[in-house]
Amino acid sequence: MSTAAAPSASSASAASGEGRPARPAGLRPLLPLLLVPLLAALALWAFAWPAARTAPNDLPLGVAGPAAQADQVAERLGARDGAFEIHRYADEAAARDAVADRTVYGAVVVTPQGPELLTASAGGPVVAQFLQQAVGAQAAAEGTALRTVDVVPAPAADPRGAALGASVLPLALAGIAAGALVTLLGLRGVRAALTLLGAAALVGVVGVALAHSWLEVLTGNWWAEAGVLGLSTLAVGAAVAGCAALLGPAGIGVVGFVVMFLGNPFSGAASAPRMLPDPVGAIGQWLPPGAGTTLLRSVSFFDGASATGPLLTLTWWAALGLGAVLLGPALRNRARTPQPTTPGREPALAG
């Protein structure tokens, strides 16, 4: 009785690899050499370029006082190409209201004693310092002294706004982590949405306990600030989990890239959106880090003034993300399910 010889390992491996293109091992070391410098260049562009080009870009600035003198001040300030967007007010009271309502970043009031500069360092210490330098230099050239009044000062515990600017990255990381964990743990549908909501609420409470109660760098309503921090986290977390529900795990990287490489440096947290070059400032306000920073400033320092826009932006991010979390698995399953063919005549075989 004879038996067939078993195929050798080499022949089996050759058969299994038949038809597959060979992967040249020598090219693999080239991937890090190409991708890492590209990633570094992208990060430097995203973070260093806006910082290096920080300057007023149609910065809203008020001018108030007697018409003749105010016209001269507005003309001199308008001579700076694209630096200021001039708003005219009848008197100092109207200019103060505009600064407190976040309509303008500051205002120059013409008085018999000389120019008076109204600022709001809580809205951005960098902007307040720049206005003092710009308007002060103009006043010095005219031989007059400048008096500065900080209408909405930054908190004493954070006069440079460093703590608020430093909060952007932790909130973004918390949101990315929440969305990634929900995805990797296999949570779906309602369970995933409730987990994201719970995690965001806890981040809001913990964050405001640290920033408001301990560090005292936030000075507004405690629960309103907690809501802003929670909504900012939810906007990112829901977007990450929702994109992953639609695209798979690759969705985590897509949203993480947008938030970290665009949202974080484009947020204007270190200065102000109008101090960033076009179109960086506008893009940043449509992303959760920028909208969250603007909303937190409004709620904490300006009694909610100009909060509607960033609030709607964060709400849309959170709502669309949660919608994708709830509907994403069903949509992916439907796309993968083969559709039944309609009974009909079979095509004739070619002879």
Side-chain angles (χ1 to χ4, degrees):
M1 181 177 179
S2 62
T3 57
S8 63
S10 60
S11 60
S13 61
S16 63
E18 186 177 354
R20 297 180 183 176
R23 296 180 180 178
L27 295 180
R28 293 179 182 177
L30 295 179
L31 292 178
L33 294 177
L34 295 175
L35 294 179
V36 172
L38 179 62
L39 185 63
L42 182 61
L44 287 172
W45 167 80
F47 284 85
W49 174 53
R53 296 292 184 267
T54 298
N57 184 17
D58 287 332
L59 187 76
L61 179 66
V63 175
Q69 293 89 337
D71 287 342
Q72 294 178 1
V73 172
E75 184 178 354
R76 295 190 195 98
L77 292 173
R80 296 171 174 259
D81 292 337
F84 298 111
E85 177 186 285
I86 303 299
H87 296 243
R88 292 294 301 272
Y89 299 99
D91 51 28
E92 180 179 351
R96 280 178 176 266
D97 291 340
V99 174
D101 291 341
R102 305 202 74 184
T103 304
V104 294
Y105 282 89
V108 180
V109 182
V110 180
T111 69
Q113 294 76 27
E116 179 182 78
L117 174 64
L118 306 179
T119 63
S121 59
V126 172
V127 180
Q129 293 172 6
F130 171 81
L131 290 177
Q132 291 179 31
Q133 295 172 359
V135 180
Q138 181 175 309
E142 298 172 358
T144 58
L146 176 68
R147 189 170 79 94
T148 301
V149 178
D150 200 346
V151 178
V152 187
D158 187 28
R160 298 180 182 85
L164 187 141
S167 67
V168 176
L169 180 59
L171 288 176
L173 290 175
I176 293 173
L181 286 174
V182 164
T183 301
L184 298 177
L185 291 175
L187 301 180
R188 299 289 184 269
V190 176
R191 290 180 62 195
L194 291 177
T195 301
L196 290 168
L197 287 168
L202 290 175
V203 168
V205 171
V206 171
V208 79
L210 293 173
H212 185 119
S213 302
W214 179 43
L215 297 175
E216 298 181 346
V217 297
L218 300 178
T219 59
N221 181 272
W222 201 95
W223 288 107
E225 292 167 350
V228 172
L229 297 181
L231 182 59
S232 299
T233 304
L234 179 63
V236 176
V240 169
C243 195
L246 295 174
L247 304 178
I252 299 174
V254 172
V255 179
F257 173 84
V258 172
V259 170
M260 293 302 298
F261 282 87
L262 297 180
N264 190 29
F266 293 3
S267 66
S271 55
R274 291 297 188 95
M275 294 291 286
L276 300 178
D278 280 333
V280 169
I283 293 174
Q285 293 306 297
W286 285 102
L287 299 176
T293 301
T294 301
L295 182 59
L296 184 60
R297 276 182 172 144
S298 294
V299 168
S300 184
F301 308 129
F302 294 87
D303 294 328
S306 300
T308 303
L311 177 61
L312 290 176
T313 299
L314 293 176
T315 301
W316 274 111
W317 273 85
L320 292 175
L322 291 175
V325 167
L326 294 172
L327 301 177
L331 294 176
R332 291 188 68 192
N333 291 336
R334 182 177 180 181
R336 286 196 298 258
T337 302
Q339 299 296 324
T341 58
T342 304
R345 294 173 56 187
E346 295 183 359
L349 296 177

